[in-house]
Amino acid sequence: MTWQEELRKLDEELAAGNLTADEYRARRDRVLSMAVSTGDQSQAAAQPAQPQAPSTAADTQIIAPVSPPAQPDQQAGSAEATQVVSAADAAGAERTQVVPQWQQQQQQQHPNSPSGGFPQPMQQPPYAQHSPAGGFAQPMQQQQQNPWGAPQQDASPPWGGSEFPPLAPPSNNADWISQGPESFQTQPSSGKGKKIAFAVVAVLVVAGLGFGVWALFIKDGGTGSAPPVAQSSSPQPPPAPTVKPLPEPPAPKPEPGDNSSALVTPAGTTRAGGGEFDMDKLESAKYLPTTVIEKAKSGGMTEGLLKTTKDGDVTLGLFALEMPNAQAAAAVAAEYGNAEQEGGLTVNRNLSLHGVPVYSAADSTQQVYRAVYVLYNRVIIIDSFGPSKDATLSSFKTLLTAQVQKAPPTERTNN
């Protein structure tokens, strides 16, 4: 098998994808090296030995410029042209190089051509011709129009075949400019959408102005009278509820000397169980809610007094809890209000006074009204309950008014 056939076989295997690009280049260089070695031996045997002048490696090699291409009548006598090399160059490491005529034309047209020259178009080089340094052109490939060393080179991978386009299409196809990475980039908007949007906005503005002119001057017969002001369709927020201020009790009076002088005597018949008590008796009798008793104990209650009567079917009660100071008394009064609300009673603003909150509750069997306030360092509690609403409410109002008149509150924190 000749080296041309081996090259053709390598090209077929590369096109079929049986070889990688590296394997193809390695095997092609090996075949070309063998072909060059064979051509050198045959040429050396055909040429007689020539005397060589002694020379050194430091001598300057001068190569004469390539002669211009010969005319057609001059080309008829010889198929090849010989480059003239000076005698000093002949003594060096290189010899006269036989260059084909078509290669001289390529060198004149392309001064930057590779050292190995360009492949001979449309024909295979003869056996005896030396292989150029860059190798022979690959047959049956696109490189006949794009020889080695040209700017455009087919670097398509061997696995491309017909399924993938070549990386460097032919030079006569201008569509290659649109291929490559830039073809995948997003093209900038032409601005048609913005122009359409501006046009729509302009039309709407003009239509609005025309409608305004018609509504002002044409609709009412050209009188030019201003249209009535349109009422806002959005709902107005409701006005803030006005809270009626609580009635003011009488002004504070001097501090009473003891618990008995701080309380009035309720109407009705005295009930058993009343009188003075200390902390131990308060805990055992459980006159008040548990949380209130605990707050009074932690606050340091010293002594207390209970006045209780029976006014018909209504039971009335008055408590005075003496504390070390006004702050402790205020804490017990606040805890009493919390305990009543947790027990189901609600604040009754219709009966409350400034500084005297009233709590009430009603069910089918019992009516309850209670009040609490601070008198200096004492906690005053007013209690009323009975089966009849009218009787219970009437007795409570009477007792509340009498107690506040006798000893008005000194702490007025509720509003």
Side-chain angles (χ1 to χ4, degrees), residues 139 149 184 228 238 256 265 289 303 323 413:
F184 296 95
T265 301
E303 59 183 10
M323 304 298 296
T413 55

Side-chain angles (χ1 to χ4, degrees), residues 358-381:
V358 175
Y359 306 92
S360 63
D363 55 25
S364 59
T365 59
Q366 198 76 273
Q367 305 291 323
V368 179
Y369 296 92
R370 290 168 181 166
V372 61
Y373 67 91
V374 176
L375 175 62
Y376 293 102
N377 62 332
R378 291 180 173 86
V379 180
I380 307 300
I381 298 174

Side-chain angles (χ1 to χ4, degrees), residues 229-397:
V229 178
Q231 298 294 332
S232 175
S233 60
S234 60
Q236 297 294 332
T242 57
V243 179
K244 183 180 179 181
L246 296 175
E248 287 290 337
K253 296 181 179 181
E255 182 179 2
D258 54 16
N259 292 329
S260 179
S261 60
L263 300 177
V264 298
T265 301
T269 306
T270 303
R271 292 177 61 239
E276 296 181 353
F277 59 86
D278 56 9
M279 194 68 234
D280 294 337
K281 186 177 181 180
L282 179 62
E283 289 179 338
S284 60
K286 297 182 180 179
Y287 294 141
L288 301 172
T290 304
T291 57
V292 178
I293 295 174
E294 293 176 355
K295 181 66 70 173
K297 183 177 182 179
S298 62
M301 188 195 80
T302 55
E303 59 183 10
L305 177 64
L306 169 60
K307 291 184 178 182
T308 177
T309 61
K310 190 75 172 179
D311 186 14
D313 293 336
V314 180
T315 302
L316 300 176
L318 276 175
F319 290 88
L321 306 178
E322 189 173 350
M323 304 298 296
N325 49 55
Q327 290 78 9
V332 174
E335 183 60 34
Y336 181 84
N338 294 334
E340 295 302 322
Q341 294 182 77
E342 291 177 359
L345 277 69
T346 58
V347 177
N348 192 331
R349 290 186 60 88
N350 295 328
L351 299 177
S352 298
L353 302 174
H354 192 194
V356 185
V358 175
Y359 306 92
S360 63
D363 55 25
S364 59
T365 59
Q366 198 76 273
Q367 305 291 323
V368 179
Y369 296 92
R370 290 168 181 166
V372 61
Y373 67 91
V374 176
L375 175 62
Y376 293 102
N377 62 332
R378 291 180 173 86
V379 180
I380 307 300
I381 298 174
I382 305 171
D383 189 5
S384 174
F385 60 91
S388 174
K389 179 180 180 180
D390 294 338
T392 305
L393 180 59
S394 176
S395 298
F396 175 78
K397 286 183 177 180

